[in-house]
Amino acid sequence: MPSALPTGDPAPSSGELPPSALEGLGTRPFGVYVHVPFCAARCGYCDFNTYTPGELGSSASPESWLAAFKHELSLAARVLGSAPPVETVFIGGGTPSLLGVPGLTEVLDGIRSTFGLAPGAEVTTESNPESTSPEFFAGLREAGYNRISLGMQSAASHVLKILDRKHTAGRAVAAAREARAAGIEHVNLDLIYGTPGETDSDLKASLEAVLSAGVDHVSAYALIVEEGTALARRISRGELPAPDDDVLADRYEMIDDMLSGAGMRWYEVSNWAVPDVGAECRHNLGYWLGGDWWGFGPGAHSHVGGVRWWNVKHPARYASVLASGDSPAAGRETLTPEEARSERVLLEIRLAQGMPLSELPSPSEASRAAADGLLSPEALAEGRCVLTRRGRLLADAVVHRLLA
């Protein structure tokens, strides 16, 4: 279907947005995402836009990235004009903790001086457990960070080895405890389940370790084998078995049972949080509920008022374009009302609160999905589509049915 700006249309070098996109700015959640593209080593399953020192050589560095980030801050301030104070900040990667406390402080100070932070703003950074310490967390707390997300993946050494993770099995839990001791208000641990060679006992031990860490948020993702990764090549050569869908479903149910039994609640298909303490990731909720955000850094995606754009991927190109005074956006698109509605169904149906039945193109399909055990009949009677646990396991298929 046609759109005002076709998918992949080149973005203007000025970065300017159409007036329609800026209408209502501030009435929707406004967040900032910052992509730090550096990693000490590449994990075998990862296809994110990240680079090791050996891959970059002398073409880019954290110092050149930080200078370019400041240029993009100035660009964003000019394009958005009277942008509202930032409600959520999320520093992702890559490995943001490689910037150290001075670098991460400089990033947050730049955001604060450009936009201002709303009272009670959520400020998150991802961190690799191996590049953290009690002093690191204390420094982040002093700088204004109040949420940490740590990549644990597994408590089993042999699983970490298959994933090419470099941290030791117990380090993520120790780091989580250090973060809480430093006064970081909210701490998340990420898990990956379904790795070749992982057993039910391995996952159970990982969940027990997570619960022992005292965190208030857990993200758990089924392993996806992405084309072009080292893991995909090992599977294609027959060195490792591919993840099994039935096993993944069983593991998801184990995760849900154990986390729910410990008092956590799922609020998005892959995310659980301690209720009533503000532990849900507000930044990610902004994505799922159609908020506005500016994504800074190489390859980062942004969305404001129905216009979506994405930056050039390579850090050296990102820096050189901004140094010349141009926008680093590689392309952009404007969503039609039909596309926006489809995306709303795709994202909101994943939330525990579900979505209004009235948003569906054919509400009758929701009744059939409820009869098949995919949607809650009780919620449907109240005019909302809410996934059952079986529906969560088949969320993508449910979306396809509801949009058919």
Side-chain angles (χ1 to χ4, degrees):
M1 57 190 71
S3 61
L5 280 172
T7 299
D9 193 80
S13 61
S14 66
E16 297 295 337
L17 294 172
S20 60
L22 300 176
E23 293 176 3
L25 186 63
T27 63
R28 301 174 294 270
F30 179 61
V32 163
Y33 173 75
V34 181
H35 186 69
V36 181
F38 307 108
C39 283
R42 182 170 299 282
C43 298
Y45 64 92
C46 179
D47 74 336
F48 293 167
N49 187 45
T50 60
Y51 303 84
T52 65
E55 291 167 341
L56 285 174
S58 60
S59 67
S61 66
E63 292 74 24
S64 65
W65 170 88
L66 186 56
F69 164 71
K70 292 178 180 178
H71 284 308
E72 193 176 3
L73 276 175
S74 298
L75 172 72
R78 176 176 59 78
V79 169
L80 295 179
S82 55
V86 175
E87 296 178 34
T88 63
V89 176
F90 197 104
I91 318 296
T95 310
S97 47
L98 290 178
L99 297 179
V101 170
L104 287 169
T105 299
E106 201 167 347
V107 168
L108 184 55
D109 284 347
I111 296 168
R112 186 186 285 114
S113 62
T114 301
F115 297 109
L117 296 179
E122 176 190 86
V123 183
T124 304
T125 183
E126 294 180 339
S127 297
N128 185 313
E130 286 296 327
S131 53
T132 63
S133 66
E135 294 75 20
F136 172 83
F137 293 121
L140 289 188
R141 182 70 184 91
E142 179 68 22
Y145 288 84
N146 52 30
R147 189 173 184 276
I148 298 291
S149 182
L150 293 158
M152 175 177 172
Q153 319 317 350
S154 176
S157 297
H158 69 96
V159 174
L160 294 176
K161 183 176 181 180
I162 290 172
L163 293 172
D164 290 325
R165 296 289 295 185
K166 304 306 178 187
H167 65 267
T168 55
R171 177 57 202 154
V173 168
R177 291 173 177 158
E178 291 167 2
R180 295 307 293 264
I184 300 294
E185 188 175 1
H186 301 296
V187 179
N188 169 66
L189 283 171
D190 277 348
L191 291 175
I192 290 177
Y193 61 94
T195 301
E198 179 191 62
T199 65
D200 287 348
S201 296
D202 292 330
L203 181 57
K204 184 174 184 290
S206 295
L207 290 163
E208 290 172 344
V210 165
L211 294 172
S212 75
V215 299
D216 59 5
H217 191 286
V218 178
S219 299
Y221 304 102
L223 178 68
I224 297 175
V225 181
E226 302 286 0
E227 290 186 17
T229 61
L231 180 61
R233 290 190 290 273
R234 293 187 68 188
I235 290 174
S236 68
R237 291 194 298 264
E239 297 175 16
L240 296 170
D244 181 274
D245 288 342
D246 291 335
V247 171
L248 292 176
D250 290 343
R251 299 273 165 80
Y252 181 89
E253 291 181 339
M254 178 191 296
I255 291 166
D256 192 42
D257 286 342
M258 289 188 65
L259 295 181
S260 298
M264 288 190 169
R265 294 180 188 165
W266 79 279
Y267 71 97
E268 192 274 341
V269 168
S270 299
N271 290 275
W272 290 257
V274 174
D276 305 322
V277 296
E280 296 86 357
C281 182
R282 288 161 48 198
H283 185 83
N284 286 342
L285 282 168
Y287 296 152
W288 295 318
L289 293 171
D292 293 330
W293 73 92
W294 191 295
F296 294 85
H301 285 233
S302 304
H303 172 268
V304 173
V307 177
R308 182 166 51 206
W309 68 96
W310 48 93
N311 286 347
V312 296
K313 286 190 170 184
H314 199 279
R317 176 63 177 158
Y318 170 75
S320 67
V321 170
L322 281 162
S324 71
D326 290 334
S327 165
R332 77 180 192 184
E333 61 185 356
T334 297
L335 300 178
T336 67
E338 293 81 6
E339 289 168 336
R341 182 172 65 175
S342 294
E343 288 211 354
R344 183 175 180 187
V345 174
L346 176 69
L347 296 172
E348 287 194 34
I349 196 66
R350 296 179 62 86
L351 299 174
Q353 68 193 48
M355 61 169 298
L357 178 63
S358 58
E359 289 294 321
L360 298 182
S362 176
S364 60
E365 185 55 47
S367 297
R368 288 189 282 272
D372 291 340
L374 302 172
L375 295 177
S376 163
E378 295 79 12
L380 201 61
E382 298 176 357
R384 297 196 67 80
C385 297
V386 175
L387 294 171
T388 61
R389 186 156 83 168
R390 181 167 181 266
R392 282 186 267 161
L393 292 170
L394 300 168
D396 291 343
V398 174
V399 169
H400 181 75
R401 285 184 59 171
L402 296 180
L403 289 175

